């Protein structure tokens, strides 16, 4: 089920390339965009201004090239730290022989970053998701939380 939301995000974003959660940056500008919620997880591609949503949390592929976990009040809890204004996508990759990960790519700027998830054998991580506790997961690895 797809829903279109208008996200008006308060000043303050979080940047972490190591997969952890960092402190808010007061200098980060507010984010305002029409966001399409595609469900609670993705196993393919998340395009610009698309999000996975659950309860009061969403992981948005923002139009500035960051993949960001946000609360419903707009505050950011985690960001990929990638920048590719205008045309970035987040693509999930995984399988029995591959540790799951999400790549951030840009048509105009190429590869921007990779966020590694984890398998838990014998089960494999088949998607990236956000749960109702505000946790962003790739496979069986928690990437960020609110």
């Amino acid at each position: 089920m797809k829903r279109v939301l208008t996200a008006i995000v308060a000043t303050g974003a979080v940047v972490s390339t190591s997969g952890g959660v960092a402190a808010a940056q007061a200098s980060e500008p507010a984010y305002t965009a029409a966001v399409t919620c595609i469900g609670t997880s993705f196993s393919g591609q998340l395009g610009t201004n698309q999000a996975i949503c659950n309860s009061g949390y969403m992981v948005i592929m923002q139009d500035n090239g960051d993949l960001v976990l946000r609360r419903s009040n707009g505050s950011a809890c985690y960001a990929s730290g990638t920048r590719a204004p205008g045309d970035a996508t987040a693509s999930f990759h995984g399988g029995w022989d591959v540790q799951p990960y999400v790549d951030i790519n840009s048509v105009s700027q190429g590869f921007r970053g990779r966020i590694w998830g984890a398998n838990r054998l014998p089960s494999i991580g088949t998607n990236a998701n956000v749960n109702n506790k505000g946790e962003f997961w790739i496979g069986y690895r928690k990437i960020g939380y609110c």
Side-chain angles (χ1 to χ4, degrees), residues 45-68:
Q45 193 170 55
L46 197 61
T48 302
N49 292 324
Q50 287 187 324
I52 51 176
C53 309
N54 198 338
S55 298
Y57 307 98
M58 65 178 81
V59 176
I60 307 167
M61 185 67 241
Q62 296 184 166
D63 57 10
N64 68 0
D66 265 342
L67 185 64
V68 180

Side-chain angles (χ1 to χ4, degrees), residues 70-119:
R70 294 191 178 276
R71 292 181 182 97
S72 60
N73 70 5
S75 62
C77 308
Y78 165 86
S80 62
T82 53
R83 295 281 188 219
D87 62 3
T89 59
S91 302
F92 177 85
H93 303 272
W96 283 107
D97 57 342
V98 178
Q99 179 180 356
Y101 62 92
V102 170
D103 272 350
I104 310 296
N105 288 294
S106 163
V107 173
S108 63
Q109 298 179 25
F111 176 76
R112 305 304 299 159
R114 179 168 289 164
I115 309 165
W116 287 99
N119 286 325

